[in-house]
């Protein structure tokens, strides 16, 4: 008798906070705290229900249709782009990333597009799972089962191709320049000069496609990089130097504004253990 056997260790799953809501919003409300450009430490799963919208995430723009899903990992800059005044409905899911980082890093491994498009049957199942998770009748075990059913659908879904043709080429050049020089001290006038674009056009592009001013966008990107460096074990003073800041107190103030904690406290709680 032939026996085929395999043994492995299932990693422990730590307790995490899970939040789900269903929201309807309009273009005039896009600057509300939950809808304006932002980054956060939780993992976000956004499921589109309706609306004439795209999503700007990690310097790319994605068209969204009913049932499409945006996954924003910790530190990824993202926001909704309204193409009309049509009502926009979506499910919004947030859950802790850090307690189970090894599991999520494997699940959301690179290369990974931020927007997924399940097939028709998967979409309907996904929306049903979200609706039931939003209710109050499920037991604790059923909620856990629903959550992993939802994640399994995402794992099997196809990536949505970027629609960067919707962004002017000279603005793509600007975004590439910022990413390349994020560890340097860069100014708006410097970017405009190096990318052969006027500062007024630069400001207009940023407001249209990122809903923020250039200095705010650069600050977001630098804070994202700072958080990653601290997680990797870099000291606060070295992180300040690495990102082109001259004033450590100013850096600490900016970091606390973004993450609600000081860089040192953040490092103590989030440093990756080797």
């Amino acid at each position: 008798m032939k026996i085929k056997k395999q043994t492995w260790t299932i990693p422990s799953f730590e307790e995490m906070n899970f939040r789900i809501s269903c929201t309807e919003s309009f273009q005039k409300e896009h600057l509300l705290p939950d809808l304006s450009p932002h980054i956060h430490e939780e993992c976000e799963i956004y499921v589109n229900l309706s609306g004439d919208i795209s999503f700007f995430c990690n310097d790319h723009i994605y068209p969204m249709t009913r049932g499409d899903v945006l996954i924003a990992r910790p530190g990824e800059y993202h926001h909704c782009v309204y193409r009309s005044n049509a009502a926009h409905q979506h499910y919004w899911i947030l859950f802790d990333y850090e307690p189970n980082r090894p599991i999520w890093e494997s699940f959301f491994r690179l290369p990974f597009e931020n927007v997924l498009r399940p097939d028709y049957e998967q979409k309907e199942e996904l929306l049903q799972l979200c609706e039931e998770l939003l209710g109050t009748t499920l037991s604790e075990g059923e909620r856990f089962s629903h959550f992993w059913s939802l994640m399994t659908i995402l794992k099997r879904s196809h990536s949505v191709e970027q629609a960067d043709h919707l962004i002017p080429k000279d603005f793509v050049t600007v975004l590439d320049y910022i990413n390349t020089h994020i560890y340097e001290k860069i100014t708006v006038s410097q970017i405009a000069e190096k990318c052969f674009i006027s500062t007024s056009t630069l400001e207009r592009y940023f407001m249209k496609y990122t809903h923020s001013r250039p200095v705010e966008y650069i600050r977001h990107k630098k804070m994202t990089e700072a958080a990653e460096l601290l997680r990797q074990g870099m000291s606060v003073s070295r992180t300040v130097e690495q990102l082109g800041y001259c004033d450590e107190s100013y850096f600490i103030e900016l970091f606390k504004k973004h993450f609600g904690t000081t860089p040192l406290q953040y490092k103590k709680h989030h440093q990756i253990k080797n």
Side-chain angles (χ1 to χ4, degrees), residues 3-36:
I3 299 176
K4 191 173 183 180
K5 189 166 74 172
Q6 187 177 44
T7 303
W8 70 94
T9 300
I10 299 177
S12 59
F13 193 83
E14 300 292 333
E15 182 177 326
M16 67 178 189
N17 292 315
F18 176 89
R19 288 179 283 162
I20 181 169
S21 60
C22 187
T23 303
E24 180 178 80
S25 58
F26 296 85
Q27 187 174 29
K28 63 182 180 181
E29 300 169 328
H30 75 275
L31 292 180
L32 293 173
D34 287 344
L35 302 176
S36 60

Side-chain angles (χ1 to χ4, degrees), residues 183-200:
Y183 288 103
E184 303 170 17
K185 183 178 181 180
I186 48 179
T187 64
V188 175
S189 57
Q190 175 189 343
I191 295 169
E193 179 183 352
K194 295 294 184 180
C195 297
F196 304 102
I197 187 173
S198 69
T199 54
S200 60

Side-chain angles (χ1 to χ4, degrees), residues 18 21 27 37 60 66 72 97 116 172 187 204 214 222 249 261:
F18 176 89
S21 60
Q27 187 174 29
H60 299 291
R66 175 181 166 83
Y97 193 88
L116 302 174
V172 173
T187 64
R204 178 168 55 83
K222 281 184 176 288
S249 298
T261 186

